[in-house]
Amino acid sequence: MRTRHPDPPTRTSLLDAAEELMLAKGFVATTVDEICAAAGVTKGSFFHYFRNKEELGKVLLDRFSQRQEARFLEACASIEDPLERVMTMIDTAIAGSRDPAGKGCLVGTFAQEISETHPKLRQICELCFERLAAAVARDLVEAKERHAPDAAFDAAALGDFFVALGQGSLLLLKTTGERAVMERNLLHFKGYLRSLYGK
Amino acid sequence: MRTRHPDPPTRTSLLDAAEELMLAKGFVATTVDEICAAAGVTKGSFFHYFRNKEELGKVLLDRFSQRQEARFLEACASIEDPLERVMTMIDTAIAGSRDPAGKGCLVGTFAQEISETHPKLRQICELCFERLAAAVARDLVEAKERHAPDAAFDAAALGDFFVALGQGSLLLLKTTGERAVMERNLLHFKGYLRSLYGK
DNA sequence: ATTCTCATACCAACTGGTACGTATGAGCAA
DNA sequence: TTGCTCATACGTACCAGTTGGTATGAGAAT
């Protein structure tokens, strides 16, 4: 019985196919027909489940960011020291970059090309970035109070720093194909944090 | 007859229009018709000057990166200390991010969306990134020999670090519209360099 | 100087293909 | 029957690129 809808397989396969294609070629260059072909269904199905291409993008973005957030949460939830928590998050990101299945970040891919043309998608991307940055910033601000209360640096800004460094590394990876970039950059970031928080 | 060889104004206005549009909407989403309309010429002219849209992209990319490189060179050429040179480069980048005319980086914009679909353009982007990263890395390696020969960090990797941080910051800027991100992130980077090279 | 030639600069209309989206109905479960 | 799932077939718009021109000016021939 595939009637009642937690998750119709056709819809899921459409989402999976779209995600893979769009991670590689972006939102605009990926056509609905391509997605349907890759998913092994026809356009009728596509427009049965999604009002239009933009809505697919929205759903895809939500699904992607939710997964990502769950991964981070799972890795860090049990750690109570805020600095340790951030360090573990960085390690999680490094591990993700090693995994050949992790082909990039949908949020970054979308943000580049549709921020001017699809305001709604842009807003979702902004929210995703903001949530991640805020989580890191919160921990690092708390860690500063705890470990280095007298130091003079802007801990709150390090959330954006982390997001930017990660997204930039992914862009470099996509362009050069050199998988190790992300890891090297994040290790430098860890070094920076250690220097800020007194080893 | 207008100017002969050097730089027909029609061609230049096509390039200018294309650059502005593509910085905002990307390569794929910007249509040739749009470019022509913005430049105030017809499609016939476009295809008189460019074999196809991809060639326009190539020319645009070359022009953009050449300009950028000239700006950096002008700012740093006279400085002989390698660490000072990098610091000045960072300041130049910060200054560029303050200027409302600097609307982003074509290389980063293109790299995201065409790395899978237009191998030639991807290669140009890769080269641009590599040249910048290599310049920074060279200086920082030399600076390490000079200022911190015994420290244990990977100076060569800092070239990619700088490029990634810059590109990521531009992505954040595009997504959130918050212009100050680039400056905050690059200031943190300067702080990191100071900590590595012994203030 | 006048005319002929030819390359460059530009334009308007069109073509083939493709993209998104719709109309409609078949198959099946409840 | 009724409603959900999915397919076939089509419509409309638009996009990259082409065709077939016109206009202008440089240089050579006359």
Side-chain angles (χ1 to χ4, degrees):
Chain A
M1 194 215 302
R2 51 189 162 182
T3 38
R4 270 303 160 185
H5 7 290
D7 224 2
T10 300
R11 195 182 118 110
T12 306
S13 64
L14 279 167
L15 285 171
D16 290 341
E19 181 168 326
E20 180 168 346
L21 287 167
M22 288 185 173
L23 273 175
K25 318 188 348 178
F27 180 81
V28 185
T30 301
T31 73
V32 174
D33 288 302
E34 258 175 325
I35 297 169
C36 294
V41 298
T42 57
K43 275 229 286 248
S45 305
F46 183 96
F47 285 100
H48 173 67
Y49 286 109
F50 308 103
R51 238 196 321 280
N52 49 40
K53 196 182 169 186
E54 178 168 353
E55 197 198 85
L56 165 81
K58 190 172 119 42
V59 173
L60 217 51
L61 225 40
D62 284 341
R63 195 180 73 144
F64 184 88
S65 67
Q66 227 166 301
R67 273 190 200 160
Q68 212 66 8
E69 233 160 292
R71 276 195 52 198
F72 279 129
L73 206 73
E74 187 189 10
C76 308
S78 60
I79 303 166
E80 33 49 285
D81 182 76
L83 184 57
E84 266 318 298
R85 211 152 51 217
V86 171
M87 291 299 194
T88 307
M89 246 170 98
I90 299 173
D91 289 331
T92 308
I94 290 178
S97 81
R98 279 221 201 85
D99 180 4
K103 288 177 195 86
C105 174
L106 259 193
V107 188
T109 309
F110 278 29
Q112 271 287 1
E113 52 176 347
I114 47 69
S115 58
E116 301 272 324
T117 48
H118 296 70
K120 279 194 178 161
L121 292 182
R122 203 225 80 229
Q123 206 183 349
I124 300 180
C125 292
E126 180 177 355
L127 233 114
C128 291
F129 285 152
E130 228 166 67
R131 265 204 308 268
L132 179 57
V136 173
R138 189 176 359 94
D139 279 347
L140 289 180
V141 167
E142 193 189 329
K144 192 182 173 215
E145 286 167 11
R146 211 182 279 197
H147 295 96
D150 301 327
F153 63 87
D154 183 357
L158 287 170
D160 282 341
F161 188 95
F162 173 63
V163 173
L165 189 62
Q167 291 296 325
S169 301
L170 285 173
L171 180 62
L172 243 63
L173 162 59
K174 195 171 196 172
T175 316
T176 68
E178 204 200 334
R179 192 161 277 278
V181 182
M182 172 73 92
E183 181 163 357
R184 282 202 312 264
N185 285 347
L186 289 182
L187 287 179
H188 264 298
F189 183 49
K190 284 180 78 172
Y192 182 41
L193 290 181
R194 272 195 299 269
S195 94
L196 286 177
Y197 289 89
K199 177 145 191 122
Chain B
M1 202 188 218
R2 314 281 166 90
T3 35
R4 190 78 171 184
H5 260 37
D7 224 2
T10 300
R11 195 181 118 108
T12 305
S13 64
L14 279 168
L15 285 172
D16 291 341
E19 180 167 326
E20 179 168 347
L21 287 167
M22 289 185 173
L23 273 176
K25 318 189 347 177
F27 179 82
V28 185
T30 302
T31 73
V32 174
D33 287 301
E34 259 174 326
I35 299 169
C36 295
V41 299
T42 59
K43 272 230 286 245
S45 303
F46 183 97
F47 286 100
H48 173 69
Y49 286 109
F50 308 102
R51 238 196 320 279
N52 48 39
K53 196 183 169 186
E54 178 168 355
E55 197 197 88
L56 165 81
K58 192 172 116 45
V59 174
L60 218 50
L61 225 41
D62 285 341
R63 194 179 75 145
F64 185 88
S65 67
Q66 228 166 299
R67 273 189 199 159
Q68 212 65 9
E69 234 161 290
R71 276 195 51 200
F72 279 129
L73 207 74
E74 188 189 9
C76 308
S78 60
I79 302 167
E80 31 53 280
D81 181 75
L83 185 58
E84 264 320 298
R85 210 150 53 215
V86 172
M87 291 298 194
T88 307
M89 248 170 94
I90 299 174
D91 290 332
T92 309
I94 290 177
S97 81
R98 278 221 202 84
D99 181 4
K103 285 177 198 86
C105 173
L106 259 195
V107 188
T109 307
F110 278 29
Q112 270 286 0
E113 52 175 347
I114 48 69
S115 58
E116 301 271 324
T117 46
H118 297 69
K120 279 193 176 162
L121 293 181
R122 204 225 78 230
Q123 206 182 351
I124 301 180
C125 292
E126 181 177 354
L127 234 114
C128 292
F129 284 152
E130 229 166 66
R131 266 204 306 269
L132 179 57
V136 173
R138 188 177 0 92
D139 279 348
L140 288 181
V141 166
E142 193 189 327
K144 192 183 173 214
E145 287 166 14
R146 209 182 282 197
H147 300 299
D150 301 325
F153 63 87
D154 183 358
L158 288 169
D160 282 341
F161 188 96
F162 173 64
V163 173
L165 189 63
Q167 291 295 325
S169 301
L170 285 174
L171 179 62
L172 242 63
L173 163 59
K174 196 172 195 173
T175 314
T176 68
E178 204 200 335
R179 190 160 279 279
V181 181
M182 172 73 92
E183 180 163 355
R184 282 202 312 263
N185 285 347
L186 289 182
L187 287 179
H188 264 299
F189 183 49
K190 285 181 78 172
Y192 182 41
L193 290 181
R194 271 194 298 269
S195 93
L196 287 177
Y197 289 88
K199 178 138 188 123

